[in-house]
């Protein structure tokens, strides 16, 4: 066989395989119906990469499952056939070990590790060795936790005298109470809430500042918007007795004062333009509309960034896909109905519609504000159907009339509680929750949502009390 | 001057002058911990965290009683931890290059940056303590013979080791640690260093500040 003929055969097989095996949006839901207690299903669904390298290419686990999925039936399967057959296909591979790490697939599903990744497997957390004079390595160590709290939240170690005094406290209950009081004390410090403090660090990837475009304080070369307002709202919602959800739902603004830093609620700011009736927290700040909407008719980037930043769902990684039937409509004629695009855009486009009337960069009269009929006024020639774009959208399968309803559904979702808890878990524990920490993590975000009513400062106390934080 | 004014000035002068309580004394001989005889229990989690630029700066400043904004300055004006080596030490740089999150791992240049900061802090402390013994903070009342330590294994030297360990590692020193740093003094002297006392002070400070226990938590 000639070399180039052989190459063509390989290409043909790959193309055929790719067209016949698209990722199936129902897969996450079916998986979670079968394994509701899997960590992958705690307030979320597994992303496409659980079974795929990048759809349609499957990983080792996906390949194993597909071989048990209605073998012999012609591909592609309909969504209905796929959803009906997936549970038994999963059952068929439970006892096998797709990634060859010595842990059966079912154990990995139950423990929250990746069945296709040999480097991801449950940790044997058994204590080893004999004694340890400095740490209680097998359980929560109050002395260790105390030093960590002061370092994490105050930004400096306690002194030797303070550590000695802590150890001399009369009881462990007294020590626990003292740690709680230190959390409160440190949460008032500049290190925690001040400019460029820890809260601002949590906010950086959400706000994505650009110094050259900064307006106001620390003005850049091309001043367009003052993102310190966004940091101010973020810090305000994460401190004291404030509701963290208002980062998305706030119909107010926050003023920052310095020396010491204080954040206070106000009904207007000269640096912000969206009217209160259409304000949805940081999603509609001047900076967000400038940077994420810019000049776009349908700002998918804005919707995807909010979904990623505040709900922890990155559509680019095929996370948080809740396909809407008959979507994407492709009102702006970008070609998103193509098979390769539609799997994500069936979720992303309905997420984007509520942004249709929020203007980005424009003349100062029209910039960064809500303008009814914005598409009809400013973008009528983008495509033949652009003006048919509805303001109604869909998030998590729930229809919403506008961006404020979008924000409410988002803020009340498990995804928001999980994402917020993950932010502070990473900040304090030092990494995203590991499979062996999952039980504590789930209990923590559920308490944040129910018991603490979305108060971050109370969440901090809960994280500090976990074994993941306090056991060396 | 009226009598009351004179009395007021006298009281003020007495108040700001040195008092018996302010007299610098050598650190006490430390309470020594006995090193474990065998292997210690290992952490099952292994969740050791690097302190990062802010905590390293604050901790070095507090331990050596230096101004936080003067612990380490490149060219005498640019903060090592806040600016020049911030990213190497695990910091972020969101407004310029758009580095919104720390990499989460220490880089190949991180140890160099830690050592740069520790060396700057230690040399400052040693220089100040030697220049103004009456106000010394760490190397208090260490007897010298010329440029040498008068007694490398004397109580004052052990006291300094204990004080540094308490201030940096928040515990008393182990017996073998003290022995090691005493031996370091003798080793430095044997190299023919022109100022062995100063070199030992810098070295013991540097060794403790750059220890794993100091920069991780």
């Amino acid at each position: 066989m000639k070399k180039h003929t052989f190459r063509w055969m390989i290409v043909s097989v790959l193309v055929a395989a790719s067209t016949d095996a698209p990722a199936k949006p129902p897969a996450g839901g079916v998986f979670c119906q079968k394994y509701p207690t899997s960590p992958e299903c705690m307030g979320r669904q597994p992303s496409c990469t659980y079974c795929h390298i990048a759809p349609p290419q499957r990983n080792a686990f996906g390949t194993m499952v597909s071989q048990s999925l209605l073998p012999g039936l012609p591909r592609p399967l309909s969504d209905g056939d796929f959803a009906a057959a997936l549970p038994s296909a999963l059952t068929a591979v439970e006892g096998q070990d797709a990634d060859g790490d010595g842990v059966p697939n079912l154990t990995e599903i139950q423990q929250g590790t990746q069945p296709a990744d040999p480097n991801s497997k449950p940790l044997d957390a058994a204590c080893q060795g004999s004694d340890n004079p400095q740490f209680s390595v097998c359980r929560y160590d109050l002395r260790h936790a105390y030093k960590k709290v002061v370092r994490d939240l105050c930004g400096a170690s306690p002194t030797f005298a303070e550590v000695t005094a802590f150890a001399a406290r009369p009881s462990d209950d007294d020590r626990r109470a003292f740690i709680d009081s230190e959390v409160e004390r440190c949460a008032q410090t500049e290190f925690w809430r001040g400019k460029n403090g820890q809260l601002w660090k949590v906010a950086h990837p959400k706000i994505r500042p650009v110094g050259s475009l900064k307006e106001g304080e620390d003005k850049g070369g091309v001043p367009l918007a003052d993102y310190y307002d966004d940091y101010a709202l973020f810090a305000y919602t994460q401190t004291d007795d404030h509701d963290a959800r208002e980062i998305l739902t706030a119909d107010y603004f926050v003023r920052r004062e310095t020396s010491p830093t204080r954040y206070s609620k106000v009904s207007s700011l000269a640096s912000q333009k969206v009217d209160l009736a259409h304000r949805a927290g940081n999603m509609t700040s001047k900076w967000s509309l400038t940077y994420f909407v810019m000049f776009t008719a349908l700002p998918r980037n804005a919707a995807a960034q909010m979904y990623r930043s505040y709900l922890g769902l990155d559509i680019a990684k095929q996370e948080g896909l809740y396909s809407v039937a008959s979507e994407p409509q492709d009102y702006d004629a970008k070609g998103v109905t193509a098979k390769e695009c539609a799997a994500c855009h069936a979720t992303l486009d309905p997420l984007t519609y509520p942004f249709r009337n929020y203007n980005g960069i424009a003349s100062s009269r029209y910039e960064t504000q809500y303008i009814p009929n914005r598409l009809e006024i400013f973008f009528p020639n983008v495509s033949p159907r652009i003006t048919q774009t509805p303001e109604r959208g869909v998030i998590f399968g729930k229809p919403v009339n506008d961006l404020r309803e979008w924000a409410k559904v988002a803020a009340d979702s498990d995804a928001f509680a999980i994402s917020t808890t993950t932010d502070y878990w990473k900040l304090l524990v030092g990494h995203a929750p590991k499979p062996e920490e999952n039980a504590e993590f789930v209990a923590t975000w559920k308490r944040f949502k129910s018991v603490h009513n979305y108060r971050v400062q109370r969440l901090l106390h809960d994280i500090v009390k976990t074994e993941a934080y306090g056991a060396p | 001057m009226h009598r009351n004014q004179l009395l007021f000035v006298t009281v003020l002068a007495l108040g700001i002058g040195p008092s018996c309580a302010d007299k610098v004394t050598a650190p006490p001989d430390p309470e020594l911990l006995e090193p474990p005889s065998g292997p210690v229990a290992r952490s099952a989690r292994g969740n050791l965290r690097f302190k990062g630029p802010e905590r390293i700066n604050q901790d070095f400043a507090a331990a050596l009683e230096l101004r936080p904004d003067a612990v380490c300055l490149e060219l005498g004006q640019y903060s090592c931890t806040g600016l020049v080596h911030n990213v190497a030490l695990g910091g972020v740089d969101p407004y310029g290059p758009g580095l919104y999150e720390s990499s989460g791992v220490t880089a190949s240049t991180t140890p160099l940056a830690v050592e740069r900061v520790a060396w700057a802090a230690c040399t400052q402390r040693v220089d100040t303590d030697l220049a103004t013994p009456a106000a010394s903070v760490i190397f208090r009342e260490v007897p010298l013979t010329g440029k040498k330590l008068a007694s490398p294994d004397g109580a004052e030297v052990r006291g300094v080791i204990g004080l540094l360990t308490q201030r940096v590692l928040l515990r008393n020193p182990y017996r073998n640690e003290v022995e090691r740093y005493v031996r370091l003094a003798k080793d430095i002297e044997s190299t023919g260093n022109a100022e062995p006392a100063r070199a030992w002070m810098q070295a013991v400070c540097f060794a403790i500040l750059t220890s794993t226990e100091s920069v991780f938590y």
Side-chain angles (χ1 to χ4, degrees), chain B residues 9-33:
Chain B
V9 170
T10 308
V11 168
L12 268 184
L14 285 173
I16 60 174
S19 66
C20 289
D22 291 337
K23 185 177 182 304
V24 170
T25 55
D29 222 352
E31 180 189 328
L32 296 182
L33 303 175

Side-chain angles (χ1 to χ4, degrees), chain A residues 125 128 130-132 134 151-152 155-158 160 196 200-201 204 208-209 211 427-430 467-468 471-472, chain B residues 33 36 39-45 47 49 51 54-55 58-59 92 94-96 100-101 166 170-172 174 217:
Chain A
Q128 300 168 10
S130 51
D131 204 6
N132 189 314
Q134 294 293 328
R151 285 165 172 155
D152 286 333
S157 299
F160 177 69
N196 293 323
W200 284 45
K201 281 189 179 171
H204 288 327
R208 301 180 72 86
L427 187 70
L428 298 183
V429 178
E467 291 269 327
Chain B
L33 303 175
V40 296
R42 285 172 52 190
S43 164
R45 296 176 184 271
N47 185 22
R49 299 185 63 194
K51 279 186 178 171
E54 297 97 342
R55 293 182 190 92
Q58 291 295 329
D59 281 1
V92 296
Y95 310 115
Y100 303 123
E101 291 179 273
Q166 289 174 353
L170 313 182
R171 61 167 174 78
N172 284 311
Y174 286 103
Y217 71 107

Side-chain angles (χ1 to χ4, degrees), chain B residues 39-107:
Chain B
V40 296
R42 285 172 52 190
S43 164
R45 296 176 184 271
N47 185 22
L48 209 55
R49 299 185 63 194
F50 180 59
K51 279 186 178 171
E54 297 97 342
R55 293 182 190 92
I56 280 182
N57 193 70
Q58 291 295 329
D59 281 1
F60 287 6
L64 303 183
E65 287 187 30
L66 301 170
R67 274 181 30 220
D69 61 353
V71 169
C72 174
L73 298 172
E74 294 295 8
L75 304 174
Q77 52 184 329
Y78 304 110
S79 167
C80 294
T81 53
L83 184 66
V84 183
H85 307 301
N86 182 271
V87 171
L89 289 168
V92 296
D93 194 354
Y95 310 115
L99 188 63
Y100 303 123
E101 291 179 273
S102 170
S103 67
V105 293
T106 51

Side-chain angles (χ1 to χ4, degrees), chain A residues 182-422:
Chain A
E182 288 293 87
V183 170
E184 287 301 310
R185 179 178 71 83
C186 292
Q188 307 301 319
T189 59
E190 289 294 308
F191 178 78
W192 185 257
R193 61 172 69 192
K195 181 181 178 183
N196 293 323
Q198 296 300 286
L199 291 178
W200 284 45
K201 281 189 179 171
V202 174
H204 288 327
K206 305 176 194 304
I207 296 170
R208 301 180 72 86
V210 179
S212 56
L213 305 181
K214 174 81 176 59
E215 238 181 11
E217 182 185 344
D218 302 325
K219 188 164 79 173
V222 189
L224 293 178
D226 187 353
Y227 45 69
Y228 286 176
D229 292 345
D230 300 54
Y231 285 98
L233 176 63
F234 184 81
Y236 177 86
T237 59
Q238 316 291 298
T239 47
D240 304 326
D241 197 29
H242 302 145
D243 188 332
R245 289 173 297 180
E246 291 176 4
I247 190 64
L248 292 175
T249 62
D251 58 357
Y252 57 86
F253 303 95
V254 170
R255 172 177 291 127
R256 177 175 63 99
E257 294 164 288
T258 54
S259 303
T261 301
R262 286 150 292 156
Y263 300 101
S264 52
K265 195 170 168 177
V266 293
S267 58
S268 69
L269 279 178
S271 47
Q272 295 294 322
K273 292 201 155 187
V274 162
D275 60 295
L276 293 187
H278 295 97
R279 175 146 165 88
N282 268 1
M283 291 203 296
T284 57
S285 70
K286 187 175 179 189
W287 173 249
S288 288
L289 298 179
T290 296
Y291 194 56
F292 300 121
V293 173
M294 278 196 181
F295 313 99
T296 322
L298 272 187
R300 295 182 178 88
N301 185 45
Q305 171 64 11
M306 301 311 148
Y307 207 53
R308 178 192 299 120
S309 299
Y310 298 107
L311 304 175
L313 300 171
D314 192 337
I315 288 180
K317 295 177 182 170
Q318 295 126 30
E319 295 169 349
L321 296 184
Y322 293 82
S323 297
V324 177
S326 78
E327 292 287 351
Q329 285 287 322
D330 202 11
Y331 293 110
D332 54 352
K334 298 293 184 191
V336 295
T337 51
K339 208 171 189 175
E340 298 79 6
C341 310
C344 292
H345 281 269
T347 300
L348 177 56
D349 286 21
L351 280 176
T352 307
Y353 300 151
F355 285 86
R356 85 181 297 280
N357 287 334
Y358 287 87
N359 216 14
I361 298 174
S363 64
S364 62
R365 186 174 167 192
Y366 299 112
E367 67 174 4
T368 61
Q369 52 196 295
Y370 183 89
I371 298 175
N373 298 320
R374 165 181 172 264
L375 293 180
E376 290 77 359
I377 297 169
F378 298 109
F379 300 93
N381 301 318
V382 162
S383 69
R385 296 176 62 214
I386 187 68
T387 57
Q388 295 174 25
T389 309
E391 188 166 15
R392 279 172 61 85
V394 181
I395 177 170
F396 299 138
K398 294 182 184 169
V400 291
N401 286 315
D402 54 34
L403 193 59
R404 292 191 52 159
E405 283 190 23
W406 190 111
K408 180 83 172 66
V409 171
D412 289 342
S413 68
D414 285 353
F416 178 80
I418 290 168
S419 177
T420 306
T421 305
T422 302

